[in-house]
Amino acid sequence: MTDFTLDCFMESGNAYKVALMLELSSADWAPRRVAFFTGQTRLPEFREMNIMGEVPVMAHHKVDGDVVLSQSGAILDYLSREFDRFGPANEHERREILRWMFWDNHKLTSYVATYRFMSLFQKKTDDPVTQFFHARAVNAFKVLDAHLAGRDFVVSGHPTIPDLSLCGYLFWPDQIGMDLTAYPNIAAWLDRIAALPGYKRPEELMPSGMDPATATA
């Protein structure tokens, strides 16, 4: 058995955040496919594991029993402490890490992920609600791009867990309605993340959550 099992699917940017952290940390881990698009997260067995009905869910298999965690931000914080990687160098960085993790969950990922789901998977591109989410995502892109001006990474001169959290959906620019040429600081930052030793794209790390019939529908 591996040290870590990650319940995930490659279309999930939130799952990708954790998979990327595990891979960059050279963890002994394995993905476990979640058939999201055919409703696995709504099943009682999955809700017993995570009442929120969401991925990712990570199990750390320890001698004295499994530690099971959900929510990507909480998992990234846990892994940062476990591996002593991508964490703060001082109290100021700790506060900045929290600030940007909370901002990502509230102002970036929440809008980007919802827009992508509605436009790409539900085919509701012209829905006013979809367009509202995209407008909010664009505002977040502008904030992040301005913050990254003159910076290599979000909090410090080295990558920390907010970098891995914030980038979760941004490697799919076409799917989130993002013209990277309009955000040169984000584009350069994503290139720096992709250059980290061990970096892999989501499709290299996780199986698809689509069944063949769903994928061709």
Side-chain angles (χ1 to χ4, degrees):
M1 178 183 290
T2 58
D3 292 338
F4 299 91
T5 300
L6 184 66
D7 289 273
C8 58
F9 58 99
M10 73 178 185
E11 293 85 1
S12 167
N14 283 314
Y16 179 47
K17 299 172 184 185
V18 177
L20 183 58
M21 173 75 175
L22 288 164
E23 194 68 16
L24 293 177
S25 301
S26 300
D28 178 25
W29 75 284
R32 182 163 58 194
R33 178 179 181 267
V34 174
F36 174 81
F37 293 94
T38 49
Q40 184 179 341
T41 57
R42 296 192 296 271
L43 297 177
E45 310 89 81
F46 193 91
R47 293 298 174 111
E48 285 181 13
M49 182 172 60
N50 180 13
I51 195 170
M52 299 173 184
E54 298 173 337
V55 298
V57 178
M58 187 192 75
H60 184 187
H61 308 297
K62 306 183 78 171
V63 174
D64 54 350
D66 288 356
V67 176
V68 180
L69 296 168
S70 64
Q71 293 296 316
S72 60
I75 300 172
L76 289 175
D77 178 70
Y78 177 86
L79 291 173
S80 177
R81 293 168 185 264
E82 280 293 308
F83 292 109
D84 193 24
R85 295 203 65 192
F86 306 112
N90 51 51
E91 275 300 300
H92 171 71
E93 288 190 8
R94 184 187 69 82
R95 290 189 294 270
E96 284 295 286
I97 283 173
L98 288 173
R99 185 166 78 107
W100 284 101
M101 292 289 285
F102 292 149
W103 183 83
D104 173 43
N105 280 265
H106 182 50
K107 293 291 189 179
L108 181 66
T109 286
S110 60
Y111 294 122
V112 170
T114 306
Y115 167 75
R116 177 173 173 260
F117 183 78
M118 292 182 70
S119 63
L120 182 65
F121 299 115
Q122 294 190 321
K123 310 301 182 185
K124 295 181 179 180
T125 305
D126 297 327
D127 189 303
V129 176
T130 306
Q131 293 306 310
F132 169 79
F133 281 116
H134 184 249
R136 298 296 292 173
V138 168
N139 287 339
F141 299 156
K142 292 176 181 177
V143 170
L144 181 59
D145 193 70
H147 175 72
L148 285 167
R151 299 173 183 267
D152 286 343
F153 296 100
V154 171
V155 167
S156 182
H158 58 87
T160 55
I161 55 174
D163 294 286
L164 306 185
S165 187
L166 288 157
C167 79
Y169 284 87
L170 303 191
F171 284 104
W172 292 304
D174 293 343
Q175 297 182 10
I176 61 174
M178 183 185 195
D179 178 4
L180 273 178
T181 63
Y183 308 102
N185 300 316
I186 291 178
W189 165 72
L190 291 175
D191 286 344
R192 284 189 285 273
I193 292 174
L196 294 174
Y199 172 83
K200 292 181 181 178
R201 288 189 55 83
E203 59 270 19
E204 299 177 276
L205 295 173
M206 300 175 290
S208 175
M210 290 187 178
D211 291 340
T214 307
T216 57

